[in-house]
């Protein structure tokens, strides 16, 4: 969603290779530099003012950066006042950008201007009445919502600190805002019931199940009790500890659980009967137009659903051909679908326990650490921690995910993997998943941006899905170059993950633009991959919950792979993969069209230098 740019100071991290613009060619170099600095400083001030104001409106964003000025707040995120403030901020930013003389910006600041402008325009479009009426009234589904985010966040294992009495009291204040947020979400759902814009029955049933799971937990086993379980390890008075134990018990029993119960009861008794049966956006009032907007916002490329669908079909066919080669290589006599079933069912491709699965990922991490320097000249400061999802939320989570650390490295990035229903999970894709969610995937891309203080905040901490997920999928392919895919089953595992992303192009568009059913989508994924039914079901239900997000992976990766191939072809022996990766990563998550322009300029600058 967030676009990227950079300060003139970012020249220090490699962007000096951007080609100069002709607008300054005839000027005196000293005067030109002074003009550029003056206008660049003016632009930076706009970025800084917006960032400071945004942190106040979005206190969680500050907290996840390690900025504790607003740590006692959660934010509301669903009120008209919140949306109005976000809209007003975008309008103000666009007006300020019009005061900038583009001819006086150096090339890097011009990128910053253009990307920031694009971001603000996208915010305004998404907050227009046309689209907000279709999104604000659906504040929660099983894949997106504070009802699942907040328990982990407030558990003492998330980003919020629990070291002092004030930390514990801040959490109580956030609890109060969470309760308000849950009740406000019910109000939004009611608005949708009146306007005819409603969630699917499938997603709402899953939300009800999630809330039921939480409500069944004894208070002293719930995530909300986590900080109290650890309170006696902290260095403050026994009286404060006793008081906080009482207050936490009271708010959990009389505040948090009742709020979750109110939401559960409303969804079950009032909302579910009127929720829509058709899962795709094409079945929702205003859905087809919303889907086209979501594609534009997500993939940062001018693509239509049918074009994406056909690209997906083509990629599925190509990858199946590569899979057939491995089936032949290992001497499997059956068909490819039978080989899929062999991989799903043979015990040798499964981990017996959660502990064994965890150790397996620890071992992969060590192997990656030993060779990662071959591909990257700059490594993140933040360490990477490996954890299974907590059991209360694992059923509806993806196979893996990443939670960012802090810019100063004091809180690590976290690679989460899913240990739910172990018999359905197979081992060939483990290395690939680690490369995607951990290193050098999300952990490198997000951490290196956050740690680069030469970048403006919206580039350090923002991101658009096509770049972020495209990089992570591209990072999977680096396992070949780093010698990590040492047997055909591991190579098949990475093909399986690539197949998953290709199938997403087919299934997401199939569901939301072509009328596919949930069962049709699941069957398609089972027929074209070695996924187990549990994973395939979770994937399809994810695409139903968050339309277009799944498109970003393959389309972003294909763009980065194409840019690398172009650089290798044009630079020949001068091509350095470590420099290429630095160019892709050192300016944060650029829209794909902007990234392509940057790499083209880098190639041109290298060719020019070689010709001298």
């Amino acid at each position: 969603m967030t676009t990227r740019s950079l300060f003139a100071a970012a020249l220090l991290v490699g962007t000096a290779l951007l080609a100069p613009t002709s607008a300054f060619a005839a000027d005196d170099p000293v005067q030109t530099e002074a003009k550029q600095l003056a206008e660049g400083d003016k632009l930076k001030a706009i970025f800084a003012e917006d960032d400071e104001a945004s942190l106040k409106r979005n206190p969680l964003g500050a907290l996840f950066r390690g900025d504790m000025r607003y740590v006692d707040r959660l934010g509301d995120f669903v009120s008209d006042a919140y949306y109005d403030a976000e809209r007003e901020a975008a309008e103000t930013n666009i007006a300020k950008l019009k005061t900038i003389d583009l001819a006086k910006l150096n090339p890097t600041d011009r990128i910053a201007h253009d990307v920031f402008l694009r971001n603000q325009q996208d915010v305004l479009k998404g907050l227009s009445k046309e689209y907000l009426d279709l999104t604000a009234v659906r504040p929660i589904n099983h894949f997106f919502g504070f009802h699942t985010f907040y328990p982990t966040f407030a558990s003492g294992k998330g980003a919020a600190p629990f070291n002092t009495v004030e930390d514990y009291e801040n959490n109580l204040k956030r609890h109060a805002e969470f309760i308000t947020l849950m009740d406000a979400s019910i109000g939004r759902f009611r608005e949708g019931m009146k306007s005819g814009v409603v969630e699917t029955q499938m997603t709402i049933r899953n939300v009800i199940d999630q809330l039921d799971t939480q409500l069944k937990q004894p208070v002293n086993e719930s995530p909300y009790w986590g900080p109290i379980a650890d309170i006696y390890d902290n260095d403050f008075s026994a009286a404060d500890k006793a008081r906080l134990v009482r207050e936490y018990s009271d708010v959990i029993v009389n505040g948090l659980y009742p709020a979750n119960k109110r939401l559960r009861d409303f969804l079950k008794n009032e909302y579910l009967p009127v929720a829509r049966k058709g899962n795709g956006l094409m079945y929702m009032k205003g859905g087809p137009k919303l889907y086209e907007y979501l594609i534009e916002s997500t993939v940062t490329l001018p693509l239509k659903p049918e074009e994406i669908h056909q690209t997906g079909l083509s990629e599925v066919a190509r990858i199946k051909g590569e899979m057939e080669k491995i089936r032949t290589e290992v001497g499997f006599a059956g068909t490819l679908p039978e080989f899929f079933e062999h991989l799903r069912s043979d015990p040798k491709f499964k981990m017996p326990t959660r502990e064994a699965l965890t150790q397996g990922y620890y071992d992969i991490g060590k192997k990656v650490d030993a060779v990662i320097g071959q591909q990257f000249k700059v490594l993140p400061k933040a360490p990477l921690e490996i954890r299974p999802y907590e059991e209360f939320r694992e059923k509806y989570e993806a196979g893996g995910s990443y939670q960012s650390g802090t810019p100063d490295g004091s809180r690590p990035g976290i690679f989460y993997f899913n240990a739910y229903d172990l018999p359905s999970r197979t081992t060939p894709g483990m290395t690939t998943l680690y490369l995607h969610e951990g290193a050098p995937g999300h952990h490198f891309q997000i951490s290196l941006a956050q740690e680069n203080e030469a970048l403006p905040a919206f580039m350090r901490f923002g991101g658009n899905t096509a770049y972020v997920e495209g990089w992570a999928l591209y990072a999977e392919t680096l396992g070949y170059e780093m010698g990590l895919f040492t047997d055909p089953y591991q190579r098949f595992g990475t093909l399986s993950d690539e197949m998953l992303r290709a199938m997403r192009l087919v299934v997401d568009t199939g569901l939301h633009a072509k009328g596919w059913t949930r069962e049709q989508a699941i069957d398609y994924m089972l027929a074209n991959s070695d996924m187990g039914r549990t994973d395939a079901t979770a994937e399809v239900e994810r695409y139903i919950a968050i339309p277009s997000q799944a498109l970003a992976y393959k389309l972003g990766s294909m763009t980065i792979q194409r840019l690398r191939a172009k650089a290798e072809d044009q630079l020949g022996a001068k091509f350095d993969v470590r420099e290429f990766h630095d160019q892709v990563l050192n300016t944060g998550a650029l829209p794909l069209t902007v990234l392509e322009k940057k790499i083209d300029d880098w190639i041109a600058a290298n060719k020019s230098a070689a010709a001298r």
Side-chain angles (χ1 to χ4, degrees):
M1 179 177 99
T2 306
T3 47
R4 300 287 180 144
S5 61
L6 65 155
F7 289 134
L11 293 172
L12 297 174
V13 293
T15 53
L17 292 176
L18 287 167
T21 56
S22 59
F24 311 123
D27 291 347
D28 176 77
V30 176
Q31 292 179 348
T32 296
E33 183 178 3
K35 291 177 183 177
Q36 291 173 355
L37 286 173
E39 207 66 10
D41 288 343
K42 185 177 174 182
L43 183 66
K44 295 172 200 175
I46 294 173
F47 297 156
E49 289 167 10
D50 170 71
D51 183 60
E52 183 61 29
S54 179
L55 293 179
K56 292 179 181 178
R57 299 192 308 273
N58 299 277
L60 281 182
L63 193 155
F64 272 94
R65 288 192 201 177
D67 180 345
M68 298 301 167
R69 287 177 296 164
Y70 315 112
V71 70
D72 61 334
R73 293 178 49 215
L74 187 66
D76 67 36
F77 303 104
V78 300
S79 70
D80 287 337
Y82 173 75
Y83 292 128
D84 289 345
E86 292 296 312
R87 186 183 303 107
E88 181 181 355
E91 291 170 344
T92 299
N93 287 332
I94 291 172
K96 288 180 179 178
L97 289 178
K98 290 180 180 178
T99 69
I100 298 294
D101 186 345
L102 300 184
K104 295 179 180 178
L105 292 179
N106 66 33
T108 54
D109 282 345
R110 178 60 187 263
I111 291 176
H113 170 279
D114 293 350
V115 173
F116 189 71
L117 175 61
R118 185 187 187 283
N119 184 47
Q120 301 306 302
Q121 291 170 334
D122 186 59
V123 168
L124 274 187
K125 190 170 184 177
L127 292 176
S128 66
K129 180 175 173 55
E130 178 181 19
Y131 295 115
L132 193 58
D133 284 351
L134 303 176
T135 55
V137 297
R138 298 181 295 122
I140 288 172
N141 59 47
H142 71 276
F143 209 85
F144 176 81
F146 273 85
H147 69 298
T148 53
F149 161 81
Y150 190 69
T152 300
F153 173 79
S155 69
K157 306 299 182 183
F162 286 92
N163 302 311
T164 67
V165 171
E166 185 180 14
D167 289 340
Y168 278 78
E169 291 175 340
N170 285 336
N171 196 45
L172 291 172
K173 294 176 183 178
R174 293 191 297 265
H175 282 344
E177 292 194 15
F178 172 75
I179 293 167
T180 299
L181 186 60
M182 290 298 95
D183 289 333
S185 296
I186 294 175
R188 284 300 192 190
F189 277 126
R190 290 192 189 282
E191 291 176 24
M193 292 167 70
K194 292 179 181 178
S195 68
V197 179
V198 292
E199 264 293 332
T200 72
Q201 291 183 351
M202 184 276 295
T203 54
I204 295 303
R205 286 193 188 98
N206 286 347
V207 173
I208 292 168
D209 188 35
Q210 290 171 328
L211 292 168
D212 278 339
T213 299
Q214 293 186 41
L215 290 168
K216 289 174 183 175
Q217 291 179 304
V219 168
N220 62 357
E221 295 178 13
S222 78
Y224 302 121
W225 192 255
I228 294 301
D230 297 333
I231 196 170
Y232 298 102
D233 296 332
N234 288 307
D235 186 19
F236 46 83
S237 74
D240 277 328
K241 290 175 182 176
R243 172 180 60 84
L244 288 168
V245 169
R246 290 193 302 271
E247 291 179 0
Y248 270 66
S249 179
D250 179 67
V251 75
I252 296 171
V253 172
N254 298 312
L256 296 169
Y257 271 47
N260 281 338
K261 185 176 184 299
R262 286 194 296 274
L263 177 60
R264 190 275 312 273
D265 291 348
F266 161 74
L267 292 175
K268 183 176 181 179
N269 300 325
E270 298 183 50
Y271 194 84
L272 183 61
V274 300
R276 73 179 193 267
K277 294 181 180 179
N279 289 315
L281 279 181
M282 65 176 293
Y283 295 108
M284 189 186 84
K285 179 181 177 181
K289 189 164 188 179
L290 175 62
Y291 188 50
E292 291 203 357
Y293 161 69
L294 291 174
I295 290 174
E296 175 190 355
S297 180
T298 299
V299 305
T300 69
L301 295 169
L303 300 173
K304 297 296 183 184
E306 183 60 28
E307 182 180 356
I308 295 171
H309 192 80
Q310 294 302 321
T311 298
L313 291 173
S314 176
E315 280 294 287
V316 166
R318 179 187 65 79
I319 297 166
K320 282 182 78 172
E322 296 299 315
M323 289 177 160
E324 287 282 12
K325 293 177 183 177
I326 292 181
R327 179 189 64 79
T328 301
E329 179 182 345
V330 299
F332 186 82
T335 64
L336 188 58
E338 289 171 339
F339 189 50
F340 293 155
E341 185 56 34
H342 169 64
L343 293 174
R344 293 183 192 116
S345 58
D346 193 314
K348 74 178 180 181
F349 300 119
K350 301 179 187 299
M351 286 290 191
T353 65
R354 295 171 70 92
E355 292 73 21
L357 186 61
T358 302
Q359 186 60 50
Y361 280 115
Y362 287 164
D363 293 342
I364 291 167
K366 292 176 183 176
K367 291 178 181 178
V368 173
D369 289 346
V371 295
I372 199 72
Q374 300 169 6
Q375 297 287 320
F376 297 89
K377 58 187 290 187
V378 180
L379 305 181
K381 298 174 185 175
L384 178 62
E385 188 173 311
I386 299 169
R387 292 186 197 171
Y389 288 115
E390 299 87 349
E391 293 186 38
F392 78 87
R393 67 182 177 119
E394 63 184 358
K395 181 177 179 181
Y396 294 107
E397 294 291 347
S401 64
Y402 176 74
Q403 179 178 296
S404 60
T406 48
D408 63 2
S410 60
R411 188 182 74 243
I414 301 171
F415 160 53
Y416 283 105
F417 62 90
N418 203 326
Y420 175 75
D421 189 16
L422 278 180
S424 74
R425 301 188 186 279
T426 57
T427 56
M430 288 177 63
T431 299
T432 304
L433 182 64
Y434 180 88
L435 294 172
H436 181 107
E437 302 293 350
H442 289 319
H443 182 59
F444 271 49
Q445 183 265 309
I446 292 171
S447 297
L448 289 174
Q450 286 187 160
E451 294 167 10
N452 186 353
E453 295 182 1
L455 301 179
F458 79 93
M459 293 176 64
R460 291 177 67 194
F461 303 106
N464 70 80
T465 310
Y467 177 99
V468 172
E469 297 297 353
W471 167 261
L473 179 53
Y474 166 79
E476 295 178 14
T477 67
L478 300 181
Y480 290 104
E481 297 170 56
M482 292 189 286
L484 299 173
F485 302 138
T486 55
D487 66 66
Y489 291 109
Q490 287 179 308
R491 285 187 277 117
F492 197 93
T494 200
L495 285 174
S496 293
D497 271 30
E498 189 178 8
M499 175 64 86
L500 169 61
R501 279 42 177 255
M503 291 189 300
R504 284 174 172 173
L505 302 184
V506 179
V507 173
D508 196 277
T509 52
L511 286 164
H512 296 292
K514 301 176 83 67
W516 283 25
T517 66
R518 170 182 173 275
E519 291 69 27
Q520 182 180 358
I522 293 170
D523 288 344
Y524 179 85
M525 299 190 82
L526 293 175
N528 288 283
S529 74
D530 62 338
M531 294 180 72
R533 182 168 290 274
T534 296
D535 273 352
T537 300
E539 287 288 329
V540 168
E541 293 186 352
R542 165 185 172 177
Y543 313 152
I544 292 169
I546 46 173
S548 84
Q549 192 269 353
L551 305 175
Y553 299 71
K554 188 64 176 171
L555 296 173
S557 176
M558 290 173 73
T559 299
I560 296 172
Q561 288 171 314
R562 177 172 54 80
L563 294 177
R564 176 170 171 174
K566 181 194 297 186
E568 288 176 330
D569 178 63
Q570 296 193 23
L571 297 179
K574 297 290 184 181
F575 177 79
D576 183 337
V577 70
R578 296 167 82 246
E579 291 291 344
F580 173 77
H581 289 154
D582 192 52
Q583 285 295 313
V584 173
L585 293 176
N586 68 22
T587 45
L590 298 172
L592 298 181
T593 51
V594 178
L595 176 64
E596 179 152 11
K597 175 65 165 57
K598 180 187 177 183
I599 296 301
D600 283 347
D601 288 346
W602 174 71
I603 292 171
N606 273 274
K607 290 172 69 175
S608 176
R612 293 194 195 106

